[in-house]
Amino acid sequence: MLDELSQIEQNALIALKEIAQETELEQWHVTFLGRNSPLMRVFDQLGSLPKEERPAIGRKANEVKNTLEKAFSQTQERLHQIAIEQALQSEVSDISLPGRKVARGRLHPLTQTLRQISAIFAEMGFQVYRSRDVETDEYNFQLLNFPPHHPAREMQDSFYLDLPHSPDNPILLRTHTSPGQIRAMREFAALNPADPPPVRIILPGMCARYEQITARSEIQFQQVEGLAVGKSITFSDLKGTLTDFARRMFGGSVQSRFRASHFPFTEPSAEMDIECFVCGGVGCAVCKRSGWLEILGCGMVHPVVLQNGGYDPQVYSGFAFGMGIERIAMLRYGIEDIRYFYSNDIRFLEQFV
Ligand code: PHE
């Protein structure tokens, strides 16, 4: 019986050496360690053996069983390792290749420019006020002191909406952010009508004008409006604020100038230019030989507008300004055509990290 056990062990280990696949290994386990295997039959027979033989045979049978089980699990581990290596080799991957670039999103150049403008005014104490994109004729024109037959109110210049509304106060896409001046002043004044609080805000937002689309003008564009109202605000405050803004936006040494202009809602009115940074003021194609680039319109808030906003023009004064964000971004990045901003061409947008 002891010889038989040795034979069983030898046979099993030889058979195990030849196994090359995990499925064959299962079959081996059935054959040599399974319920009906010769080894298990030895265990079954133990009881019927003469008493004195039992301990030695039992011990030997246990040894063989342990040896085979150990050999089995070692082989199992080895085959598993081989299977993994084969799987890796059969995959066509070259780990020495450089990785693929992950395409990263970035902020639109207009968003970046608006953020920079907002940050500069925030440092000067201006809060951001959001006004509506869709306005009434009343807010967009009438309350801003536009005379009834001002050309800006013509159908050719504004997008009127075909919505039921009173005929003398139609609804339109705002043509500038200035109607937000009235909405903001009215909201602030309502806080304390007898003595309205001072206002210091910027109002960014989308505007639309029904115009020919060219390299210099789009039918949709963004503006940032600024408004400061208080008890002793002067034109010097306007000049100081905007000159400081231009230096922070375009560089500390930038030259600027104010030119008299006209807007119905400011008096006096001005336009602000900065020295052309392409030619340094000598005159070139970008500045149309003038040496200056216009960046914004501004002025002292018209008394009628203060009144319409709930601020007594005898007590209060203020300044306002409005700039096109596209224009600022074009100057800052040297972009020649405004249409790039809204054409969603990834090759253009990718350049603004
Ligand atoms: N709303 C004017 C425009 O669209 C700009 C402006 C704003 C001028 C505020 C003066 C004061 O051109």
Side-chain angles (χ1 to χ4, degrees), residues 299-313:
M300 299 307 288
V301 182
H302 197 286
V304 169
V305 174
L306 284 171
Q307 189 80 58
N308 290 339
Y311 282 76
D312 181 355

Side-chain angles (χ1 to χ4, degrees), residues 112-295:
Q112 293 186 33
T113 306
L114 172 58
R115 287 196 179 184
Q116 201 181 349
I117 296 170
S118 306
I120 292 170
F121 283 109
E123 281 182 18
M124 300 188 207
F126 285 75
Q127 283 181 294
V128 174
Y129 184 97
R130 290 245 165 220
S131 188
R132 52 188 73 183
D133 291 17
V134 179
E135 270 298 358
T136 58
D137 185 277
E138 183 189 17
Y139 277 88
N140 197 80
F141 296 124
Q142 296 168 36
L143 294 169
L144 289 171
N145 202 32
F146 278 79
H149 298 292
H150 193 282
R153 303 181 61 171
E154 296 291 307
M155 294 289 282
Q156 298 92 283
D157 289 303
S158 304
F159 285 103
Y160 286 94
L161 301 185
D162 200 4
L163 291 173
H165 211 253
S166 78
D168 52 349
N169 188 21
I171 295 171
L172 72 161
L173 302 181
R174 66 175 163 196
T175 60
H176 52 172
T177 42
S178 302
Q181 289 187 30
I182 302 286
R183 295 204 178 266
M185 275 192 278
R186 287 189 170 180
E187 201 175 299
F188 278 70
L191 296 171
N192 185 6
D195 186 23
V199 180
R200 213 189 289 171
I201 53 168
I202 56 167
L203 308 99
M206 206 74 203
C207 306
R209 282 182 204 170
Y210 194 11
E211 283 177 337
Q212 180 78 38
I213 299 175
T214 68
R216 315 201 99 231
S217 69
E218 257 281 4
I219 55 173
Q220 57 176 346
F221 54 95
Q222 295 179 55
Q223 285 191 339
V224 182
E225 190 86 5
L227 177 67
V229 178
K231 284 183 178 157
S232 53
I233 290 182
T234 67
F235 200 86
S236 305
D237 295 316
L238 177 155
K239 286 180 83 173
T241 303
L242 293 179
T243 305
D244 193 25
F245 163 75
R247 289 204 186 112
R248 295 206 207 183
M249 191 75 201
F250 296 104
S253 58
V254 76
Q255 294 293 310
S256 55
R257 71 173 185 189
F258 290 82
R259 264 182 301 108
S261 184
H262 175 78
F263 301 101
F265 38 91
T266 47
E267 180 59 36
S269 302
E271 276 170 322
M272 187 187 190
D273 299 335
I274 56 168
E275 191 183 60
C276 179
F277 42 73
V278 176
C279 61
V282 182
C284 69
V286 173
C287 60
K288 294 196 200 131
R289 316 270 151 222
S290 71
W292 296 95
L293 299 163
E294 184 206 320
I295 60 163

